[in-house]
Amino acid sequence: MSEQKAKFAELQTAIDKHKEEKGALMPVLQAAQGIFGCVPMDVQEYIAEALDTTLSEVYGVATFYSQFSLQPKGKYVIGVCMGTACYVRGAQKVLDRVEKELNAETGATTKDGQFTIQSTRCLGACGLAPVMMINDEVFGRLTEDEIPGILDKYKI
Amino acid sequence: MEQMIPLTIDGVRVEVPQGTTVLEASRKAGVKIPTLCYLKDINQSGSCRMCVVDTGARAFQAACVLPVTKDMVVRTNTPDLREARRVLLELILSNHNKQCLSCIRSQNCELQKLCKDLGVEDGNDFAGVMNQYEIDDFSPSIVRDNSKCIVCRRCVAACDKVQEVGVIGATGRGFKTSIASPWNLHLSEMACINCGQCITVCPVGALHEKDDTSLVWQYLADPTKHVVVQPAPAVRAALGEEFGLPMGTSVTGKMAAALRRMGFDRVFDTDFAADLTIMEEATELVDRVTNGGVLPMITSCSPGWIKFCEHYYPEFIPNLSSCKSPHEMEGALVKSYYAEKMGLDPKDIVVVSVMPCTAKKYEAQRPELSNGGLPDVDVVITTRELARMIKEAGIEFTMLPDEGFDDLLGESTGAGVIFGATGGVMEAALRTAYTFITGNELEDVNFTAVRGVEGIKEATVKVGDLDVSVAVVSSTSMAAKLLDAVKAGEKNYTFIEVMGCPGGCVNGGGQPIVDASVRAKVDIRTERAKALYNEDQAKTLRKSHLNPEIKKIYDEFLGRPNSHKAHKLLHTKYTVRPKYEK
């Protein structure tokens, strides 16, 4: 079985589990996000057919909640905290620098598929403001000049 | 028995059945609560909050989704409520393209009317960042301009619930919410059936038909073109509304007069072609029944339904009658029979159809609906576009005399007239099929069992020794329901009539737009259909095969129904289309 086929089989298992529930779309989309790392068009069409709903409905829910992404996320997901404390301590400059260094906008993934840039709500580390996370690693008390060095460690 | 709930609205004591909303109850109290996203039977979501009322609860509540409770005291008109509604309007206006002067819905816009009624002046209280959108005008039928959209979701409900097409929805979140197709694809890239029901429910100018009026003016001004026009049956049942006449007024004679004054060289009538459709379709039905053809046979006049079938129920394509829709038949004959008679080169003829329908615009562009590289129909305008042209031309519509249609392709029977209402094609077909099968004339031509606006109607009709089992559905959601039952073997029919819009063409996507407050009180479908049934009743000839022009065209040109020539000019084929366009 190809990798893609195995993923759809896994999705079908999740659909079978939730199909009869009211509001099955949410848990099925969550499962799909977990399995595929995003919910691209073919996955959404598959879900619409399986749950006997419209693609518009699936797409509407998928774009309403920020936990779902339509494009695959990068190997490293960078989250720059835009909470109040981080913001007043210069988070915007940090974010701008990340965008500049990676040549990609917030919300987008770099062309090589390595990085996805996100701005996040409060990460709960206000004492370290401004803060950013790369996958599970936290970087605090950042200055924009530190950004290139940090990113270099993740670049291939 | 239903339990009655007493309550007080603005000091008026009323009793309403349990489960009634405060909005519905308010009508009984003679109170009109302003609404914007509410549309009776279609959209009740409480999302615009315009109908807020004071029940003494902690916050104002939306009356359209608030069920009545015993002894509830409702106030609908206090200074605070009026201010709340004004603020809501200001907030909507802060992200609304306020170019009202050039807006297609100016003076027919529910938002504009509310602003006027509630005393909202310049609408700049919350001026700030506005969303920017591209106009989607790639569809030959429907244009979406989201800069006018107020995200009320009435179009979404019409598309999803009324039609079960569901190619649009709310996308994104918060301020960025917009009504769009998945991945912001153009409507033309979706399995949209072009029915235009979204347009007729839009309270503002966010949705409208693709305007082809300037193209028609251009042809009319071109001396090298011979421009022929044909209005559909349902147009005459609604055009008068655009000129202030009551709903259900038939304006056939004035419409013909107006078209002549606009400068058309010939004013024909699609009703003629409706009679012709019956000749071809009844013959096809008799042939299928007697020679073991695919049954049930399903009518093919409604282009919204046809595209729905091609996308969503392609397994029923063999069941579709091969007959082109009436205006396409008329167009094909204008460019052959009529051209020959008049000694005209078909290349110099322009056929303009006036239709109650936006899907007809798409249909006219189908490559298979042509002959020798020339499309059967060149331009389709809707009832609304015709009304705009009549106004633009300065024609005093209501003062016009009643005139008739031109000879050759203009005469019709009552059977042709009722094509515009759900059940009409079935009734017209039965009147003629009866004669084709039994050789006798039917005494009572009224098949009342197939009339009316119910979603699905069934009847068994005795035709000689045959019991013909028929079904009539309108709206594609009802068609889907019926086809599912046929597919599952639960239902068995010989002949099915499907019209894509609820109530049939009288309620088509190209018809005059009716304000939600009027829709709450009257059934558009019934009122407009009355105009057609009255016309049928008043006609001496009520069976298609008795139309003298029909007899003449078979004698002189086509030979007999379903002849080789008839097949070449009047029949078509269909295409399996994907549900999700790639």
Side-chain angles (χ1 to χ4, degrees):
Chain A
M1 206 191 291
S2 74
E3 194 190 350
Q4 195 68 0
K5 247 184 166 170
K7 284 179 176 176
F8 274 102
E10 202 182 330
L11 175 61
Q12 187 57 49
T13 310
I15 290 167
D16 292 339
K17 188 175 160 203
H18 297 291
K19 201 173 175 182
E20 303 307 319
E21 297 167 15
K22 202 178 168 204
L25 183 53
M26 271 305 278
V28 168
L29 271 174
Q30 281 167 329
Q33 177 76 38
I35 296 163
F36 294 89
C38 63
V39 280
M41 192 183 288
D42 56 341
V43 172
Q44 290 194 30
E45 285 176 5
Y46 187 89
I47 293 172
E49 285 298 311
L51 296 181
D52 194 21
T53 184
T54 62
L55 182 61
S56 298
E57 177 72 17
V58 178
Y59 183 80
V61 173
T63 55
F64 185 87
Y65 294 101
S66 57
Q67 69 182 101
F68 303 121
S69 57
L70 303 183
Q71 278 91 32
K73 284 188 182 165
K75 189 173 170 193
Y76 302 109
V77 178
I78 304 172
V80 179
C81 180
M82 282 289 168
T84 312
C86 289
Y87 189 79
V88 297
R89 306 259 313 177
Q92 187 64 52
K93 280 185 187 158
V94 171
L95 184 60
D96 290 347
R97 188 62 183 261
V98 172
E99 286 185 342
K100 193 178 152 216
E101 290 299 321
L102 295 177
N103 195 23
E105 284 179 13
T106 303
T109 300
T110 53
K111 285 200 184 85
D112 60 7
Q114 288 292 299
F115 296 96
T116 298
I117 310 172
Q118 293 179 336
S119 73
T120 74
R121 306 276 162 100
C122 180
L123 292 171
C126 308
L128 301 175
V131 173
M132 99 180 161
M133 287 183 77
I134 300 182
N135 289 353
D136 292 331
E137 204 172 338
V138 180
F139 300 86
R141 298 203 179 89
L142 286 166
T143 62
E144 57 174 308
D145 296 331
E146 290 174 80
I147 299 300
I150 295 171
L151 293 178
D152 278 346
K153 286 192 278 177
Y154 290 90
K155 286 182 181 165
I156 314 158
Chain B
M1 210 187 95
E2 232 172 9
Q3 200 189 340
M4 295 300 280
I5 309 288
L7 73 159
T8 307
I9 302 177
D10 290 344
V12 181
R13 191 85 177 151
V14 289
E15 276 201 6
V16 293
Q18 190 169 23
T20 307
T21 63
V22 169
L23 182 68
E24 288 157 347
S26 70
R27 257 178 242 123
K28 215 172 167 184
V31 171
K32 187 180 166 192
I33 301 172
T35 58
L36 194 49
C37 69
Y38 171 84
L39 194 62
K40 187 171 176 254
D41 300 331
I42 294 175
N43 199 38
Q44 279 165 270
S45 60
S47 67
C48 79
R49 319 302 293 177
M50 197 55 56
C51 63
V52 281
V53 293
D54 190 347
T55 58
R58 192 168 49 86
F60 295 155
Q61 303 197 61
C64 70
V65 288
L66 179 66
V68 295
T69 53
K70 189 169 176 291
D71 294 329
M72 193 180 217
V73 176
V74 182
R75 287 191 298 166
T76 77
N77 179 27
T78 65
D80 283 351
L81 282 168
R82 289 196 298 273
E83 184 53 25
R85 291 180 189 135
R86 263 194 296 273
V87 169
L88 286 167
L89 281 174
E90 287 282 1
L91 286 167
I92 291 170
L93 291 172
S94 74
N95 192 31
H96 183 75
N97 172 356
K98 292 183 279 295
Q99 287 180 317
C100 294
L101 284 179
S102 58
C103 182
I104 198 162
R105 291 292 296 275
S106 187
Q107 300 187 350
N108 184 19
C109 168
E110 292 181 31
L111 179 63
Q112 193 183 43
K113 187 169 181 301
L114 270 180
C115 287
K116 187 163 177 287
D117 288 353
L118 302 187
V120 171
E121 284 169 357
D122 55 9
N124 284 328
D125 281 12
F126 303 107
V129 177
M130 291 170 77
N131 286 325
Q132 302 298 319
Y133 300 102
E134 271 174 40
I135 293 175
D136 177 11
D137 58 0
F138 285 83
S139 157
S141 300
I142 299 167
V143 179
R144 172 176 282 281
D145 177 0
N146 268 347
S147 71
K148 307 263 177 75
C149 178
I150 58 168
V151 207
C152 70
R153 294 166 169 80
R154 271 155 57 162
C155 57
V156 176
C159 189
D160 192 27
K161 287 199 285 193
V162 178
Q163 298 294 61
E164 279 186 22
V165 169
V167 291
I168 46 172
T171 68
R173 181 175 191 159
F175 184 67
K176 290 278 178 200
T177 305
S178 69
I179 307 301
S181 294
W183 273 268
N184 274 316
L185 289 170
H186 300 300
L187 214 41
S188 54
E189 296 169 291
M190 302 298 297
C192 166
I193 62 168
N194 303 305
C195 69
Q197 285 298 309
C198 54
I199 299 175
T200 61
V201 299
C202 182
V204 294
L207 285 159
H208 59 85
E209 66 282 352
K210 175 68 90 49
D211 187 296
D212 288 306
T213 58
S214 45
L215 189 57
V216 176
W217 284 130
Q218 203 178 308
Y219 282 131
L220 286 171
D222 184 344
T224 68
K225 297 290 182 196
H226 184 83
V227 192
V228 172
V229 71
Q230 49 159 333
V235 176
R236 67 210 65 196
L239 180 63
E241 292 166 35
E242 295 275 4
F243 300 93
L245 296 171
M247 195 179 284
T249 308
S250 173
V251 293
T252 313
K254 293 192 194 317
M255 174 180 71
L259 291 168
R260 214 162 265 131
R261 277 154 185 73
M262 284 164 67
F264 287 102
D265 295 297
R266 277 292 181 284
V267 181
F268 288 144
D269 192 0
T270 311
D271 287 17
F272 165 84
D275 277 337
L276 189 69
T277 302
I278 288 304
M279 298 298 286
E280 294 294 323
E281 201 161 301
T283 306
E284 185 185 354
L285 178 66
V286 172
D287 178 59
R288 286 191 189 215
V289 171
T290 48
N291 296 323
V294 180
L295 293 173
M297 186 173 93
I298 312 179
T299 59
S300 56
C301 305
S302 164
W305 146 244
I306 291 297
K307 195 152 180 275
F308 184 84
C309 185
E310 290 175 328
H311 281 295
Y312 300 95
Y313 287 87
E315 63 273 30
F316 281 95
I317 286 180
N319 298 70
L320 291 174
S321 162
S322 63
C323 289
K324 288 182 183 176
S325 74
H327 84 120
E328 293 289 339
M329 286 196 184
E330 182 99 10
L333 291 174
V334 167
K335 291 188 181 183
S336 54
Y337 173 65
Y338 173 75
E340 250 177 67
K341 284 235 168 208
M342 299 289 291
L344 289 164
D345 184 343
K347 285 193 190 69
D348 297 329
I349 301 179
V350 175
V351 176
V352 176
S353 299
V354 185
M355 297 284 127
C357 181
T358 45
K360 293 277 180 197
K361 288 176 184 273
Y362 172 87
E363 182 190 43
Q365 293 185 3
R366 283 178 179 250
E368 65 272 24
L369 296 176
S370 61
N371 189 19
L374 292 178
D376 295 337
V377 170
D378 298 277
V379 192
V380 172
I381 56 170
T382 59
T383 310
R384 294 190 294 268
E385 287 166 277
L386 174 61
R388 290 205 296 274
M389 291 182 81
I390 293 172
K391 288 174 188 171
E392 207 177 337
I395 296 167
E396 284 271 24
F397 187 78
T398 53
M399 308 290 276
L400 289 172
D402 287 341
E403 291 181 8
F405 295 100
D406 289 321
D407 291 344
L408 284 182
L409 302 167
E411 183 159 350
S412 62
T413 70
V417 178
I418 57 174
F419 257 60
T422 172
V425 176
M426 175 63 69
E427 185 167 347
L430 289 175
R431 289 178 189 177
T432 288
Y434 183 90
T435 305
F436 283 3
I437 292 172
T438 65
N440 302 319
E441 285 296 332
L442 197 62
E443 292 293 320
D444 180 7
V445 298
N446 299 306
F447 290 93
T448 46
V450 296
R451 296 185 186 177
V453 296
E454 303 84 64
I456 298 178
K457 291 165 283 183
E458 295 175 289
T460 303
V461 182
K462 198 103 185 131
V463 182
D465 302 330
L466 276 177
D467 279 326
V468 182
S469 166
V470 303
V472 172
V473 287
S474 68
S475 85
T476 45
S477 64
M478 287 299 159
K481 207 169 148 187
L482 189 81
L483 294 184
D484 286 341
V486 170
K487 215 158 53 174
E490 294 158 16
K491 293 282 183 184
N492 224 330
Y493 303 107
T494 307
F495 189 28
I496 299 174
E497 177 205 289
V498 181
M499 292 196 189
C501 290
C505 315
V506 286
N507 189 31
Q511 292 283 62
I513 286 164
V514 180
D515 193 276
S517 61
V518 178
R519 290 173 75 119
K521 283 178 267 181
V522 298
D523 191 331
I524 307 172
R525 303 167 298 177
T526 312
E527 292 307 312
R528 288 179 182 160
K530 269 186 211 158
L532 298 181
Y533 284 109
N534 289 343
E535 252 192 52
D536 169 38
Q537 193 78 39
K539 290 246 187 189
T540 325
L541 296 177
R542 297 177 67 191
K543 296 171 197 154
S544 299
H545 56 278
L546 300 180
N547 180 337
E549 283 187 353
I550 292 286
K551 287 181 185 168
K552 189 172 163 185
I553 202 170
Y554 280 110
D555 285 348
E556 289 184 5
F557 187 70
L558 291 169
R560 54 181 173 74
N562 290 15
S563 69
H564 181 69
K565 200 168 192 176
H567 256 283
K568 184 165 173 279
L569 289 170
L570 311 178
H571 291 255
T572 185
K573 53 188 188 312
Y574 308 101
T575 313
V576 177
R577 295 173 200 273
K579 190 167 166 186
Y580 305 109
E581 302 270 355
K582 295 294 171 207

